Amino acid sequence: MKTRVMVLGAGFGGLELTTMLSEAVGDRIDLTLIDKSDSFVFGFSKLEVMFGRQTAAAVRVPYASIVKPGVRFRQETITAIDPAARRVTTDRGVYEADELIVALGADYDVAATPGLAEGGYEFYSVAGAERAREVLPAFTGGHAIVGVTSAPFKCPPAPSEAALLLHDYLTQRGLRANCQISLVMPFPVPIPPSPDTSKALIAAFAERGITFVPKKSVRALDPARRVAMLDDGTEMPYDLFLGIPKHRAPDVVAKGGMTEHGWIPVDPKTLATKFPSVYAVGDVTSVGTPKAGVFAEGAARVVALALITKLRGGEAPAAYAGAGSCYVEFGGDQVGRVDVNFFSGPAPTGTFAAPSVDLVAEKLAFGATRRSRWFGV
């Protein structure tokens, strides 16, 4: 009999895992990939949507394009997970697995920040980016705040990118002199593991007149007074608020008894959970790497190799290194790159590649290779 593999979530982790297993042991597995959405969107594409560079339809890659040996995709909503029995219930049926991988990412809890839904705009979801795109043309002057409401959050460079791209957007409209831009973050520097990247971003903020407010989070908004209230009790008036909402594990994961302190704990070397033959990768875990697609992808490779070894035999795969590269939009049609390694040394390390046009092309290639590999597009 074929090994029944269930992959919950079709983001970076789920797609890479599915692809590797299909390529290596597609004739030996019956793999079901489940996601509630009908299409995939790269996280960095949401900034493209927010600033009107691309439409939401243009950045979506339909899951219907997935045609791989041993794989079937199901667009269904997961309603229950029993990790001990490796049983998954959806709005359309019940599945049982020999190997279960949870890659459901992190959900956004806009309601956790009072006033955010009424007085601000989140841009981390596609729908939120679309709403922000609709209101940006009406902003012609005043104070714009890009604010983080809590940590951890996906893609640590994204708030900095949003502030820099907002500067470009307002400059192109001839409005920058009428506007103030502030970036509020809970970190002491924009990218803590990479001092060089942080220095470059802080220099870019200074050059563009963007105020960086470190070590603070936005606790609430008062839409009536148009004031952002910070966690230290201070207030900042605003005319436009672009927020990063609180992140949390999906409710169905917590109800399944998989989480501790809000996230799924895993062995950082193997991504195994405390449940036999159950793994978790990506943003839903507390593994210790940033919540970003490239780290989910790396973790998925470790799990895929472990499952391939189970089926084919051979040596166990190397431990998860916690390494990845993130592209950083600096504005002015320039992209930088930060290469970070979390587990190879006593402390996380990061190196920085300065913004360039060449890295713009490299970022485009990054997306293109994954669309081709995962979807055949």
Side-chain angles (χ1 to χ4, degrees), residues 294-356:
V294 67
F295 293 100
E297 182 181 316
R301 292 190 188 117
V302 173
V303 175
L305 290 172
L307 296 180
I308 291 166
T309 299
K310 275 189 181 182
L311 291 168
R312 290 171 134 186
E315 295 184 5
Y320 177 46
S325 299
C326 292
Y327 296 95
V328 185
E329 292 278 351
F330 273 76
D333 298 321
Q334 299 264 308
V335 169
R337 191 186 70 233
V338 55
D339 304 307
V340 188
N341 191 305
F342 279 82
F343 299 149
S344 294
T349 59
T351 58
F352 177 58
S356 69

Side-chain angles (χ1 to χ4, degrees), residues 29 35 159 230 243 274:
I29 60 171
D35 198 286
L230 308 187
K274 63 183 179 182

Side-chain angles (χ1 to χ4, degrees), residues 140-362:
T140 58
H143 189 192
I145 296 176
V146 178
V148 179
T149 62
S150 67
F153 56 91
K154 295 182 187 180
C155 191
S160 299
E161 294 178 301
L164 291 167
L165 292 176
L166 179 60
H167 166 86
D168 279 6
Y169 174 83
L170 294 171
T171 299
Q172 290 162 7
R173 293 177 61 203
L175 299 170
R176 184 64 181 93
N178 303 335
C179 305
Q180 179 185 354
I181 301 174
S182 295
L183 170 61
V184 181
M185 291 187 71
F187 307 145
V189 293
I191 310 292
S194 177
D196 288 343
T197 308
S198 293
K199 288 177 184 176
L201 284 168
I202 290 171
F205 300 154
E207 181 183 341
R208 293 160 176 80
I210 296 170
T211 302
F212 179 54
V213 183
K215 301 182 183 179
K216 295 181 183 180
S217 299
V218 177
R219 178 175 55 82
L221 299 183
D222 184 337
R225 293 192 299 133
R226 306 294 284 178
V227 165
M229 293 172 278
L230 308 187
D231 55 1
D232 66 350
T234 59
E235 296 183 346
M236 295 178 67
Y238 72 89
D239 299 285
L240 172 68
F241 186 86
L242 301 173
I244 293 81
K246 181 179 179 180
H247 289 37
R248 59 175 172 79
D251 288 338
V252 69
V253 174
K255 290 176 181 177
M258 299 190 72
T259 59
E260 293 179 14
H261 308 293
W263 307 99
I264 301 177
V266 294
D267 183 324
K269 296 180 179 179
T270 65
L271 291 309
T273 71
K274 63 183 179 182
F275 302 97
S277 292
V278 179
Y279 302 84
V281 300
D283 297 349
V284 76
T285 75
S286 56
V287 68
T289 58
K291 295 188 182 301
V294 67
F295 293 100
E297 182 181 316
R301 292 190 188 117
V302 173
V303 175
L305 290 172
L307 296 180
I308 291 166
T309 299
K310 275 189 181 182
L311 291 168
R312 290 171 134 186
E315 295 184 5
Y320 177 46
S325 299
C326 292
Y327 296 95
V328 185
E329 292 278 351
F330 273 76
D333 298 321
Q334 299 264 308
V335 169
R337 191 186 70 233
V338 55
D339 304 307
V340 188
N341 191 305
F342 279 82
F343 299 149
S344 294
T349 59
T351 58
F352 177 58
S356 69
V357 174
D358 288 344
L359 285 175
V360 173
E362 186 177 299

Side-chain angles (χ1 to χ4, degrees), residues 45-70:
S45 294
K46 294 164 192 172
L47 288 171
E48 299 291 307
V49 171
M50 180 168 72
F51 289 108
R53 296 178 173 187
Q54 294 194 68
T55 65
V59 301
R60 295 183 187 275
V61 187
Y63 290 128
S65 299
I66 297 175
V67 180
K68 298 181 183 298

